[in-house]
Amino acid sequence: MTLLMVGNHSSFDDGTLFDAVTEFRAANDFWVRGILPEREPRSAKDSAKFIRHGMMVTGTYQGKVVPTALLSSMGTGVRHTIHADQIVITLESWEPILDDPAQSEAAFKQKGWIPKEPVWQWNFHYGDLYLTETKTGAAGLVLPWDR
């Protein structure tokens, strides 16, 4: 796994993140062989806009056509994007419950395993999203990854 962080929040829209990821992937030999670049390539800013609206686009760096955002070499990019969206929706719905002791106690009352002052932690295992209470080590699968 390679962790990559470049730019700031405006980088998603101004094209700098698109350019950085495209260059990184090309430099790491992650490009599509046998495909020629577009004759009139769109700007990185326009490509970023298409990606933000769910369109699949490619990037080009030094004549190499690179899969970007929703594209993957296995054809699973859309499923991964949907799973990422589901994770965000899940976190947004659970966080208020976990932040309020009364709500979390009510949500888990039938379990009987929550300590007086629980410490919650989100974890992943091969794409599955788990919620763990760190004092007890108890964990539950919240969102499975569709393999």
Side-chain angles (χ1 to χ4, degrees):
M1 176 182 356
T2 302
L3 300 177
L4 173 67
M5 174 56 194
V6 292
N8 55 35
H9 286 285
S10 67
S11 302
F12 291 104
D13 296 319
D14 67 11
T16 56
L17 179 61
F18 180 86
D19 282 340
V21 171
T22 301
E23 180 180 345
F24 176 82
R25 288 183 170 184
N28 284 278
D29 211 30
F30 187 68
W31 56 282
V32 183
R33 276 88 174 146
I35 303 293
L36 296 175
E38 301 171 68
R39 288 185 195 168
E40 295 179 28
R42 73 183 65 78
S43 70
K45 185 174 182 175
D46 286 343
S47 293
K49 184 186 290 186
F50 281 121
I51 290 169
R52 295 284 285 215
H53 290 286
M55 302 293 293
M56 295 185 198
V57 300
T58 58
T60 303
Y61 182 74
Q62 296 181 343
K64 297 174 180 176
V65 177
V66 178
T68 60
L70 296 177
L71 298 177
S72 76
S73 59
M74 298 181 302
T76 57
V78 173
R79 289 176 57 207
H80 293 160
T81 301
I82 291 169
H83 186 59
D85 288 341
Q86 290 174 329
I87 289 168
V88 171
I89 291 166
T90 300
L91 294 176
E92 287 174 343
S93 65
W94 273 92
E95 285 297 321
I97 294 169
L98 300 176
D99 287 342
D100 181 351
Q103 284 188 4
S104 62
E105 184 177 327
F108 298 109
K109 190 172 187 176
Q110 69 279 8
K111 304 291 183 189
W113 54 268
I114 297 179
K116 195 156 189 89
E117 294 181 16
V119 178
W120 302 108
Q121 179 176 333
W122 292 104
N123 296 295
F124 283 99
H125 181 71
Y126 294 106
D128 295 332
L129 179 65
Y130 284 86
L131 178 61
T132 304
E133 197 294 309
T134 60
K135 290 180 180 178
T136 63
L141 176 61
V142 176
L143 183 65
W145 184 24
D146 180 27
R147 291 177 178 76

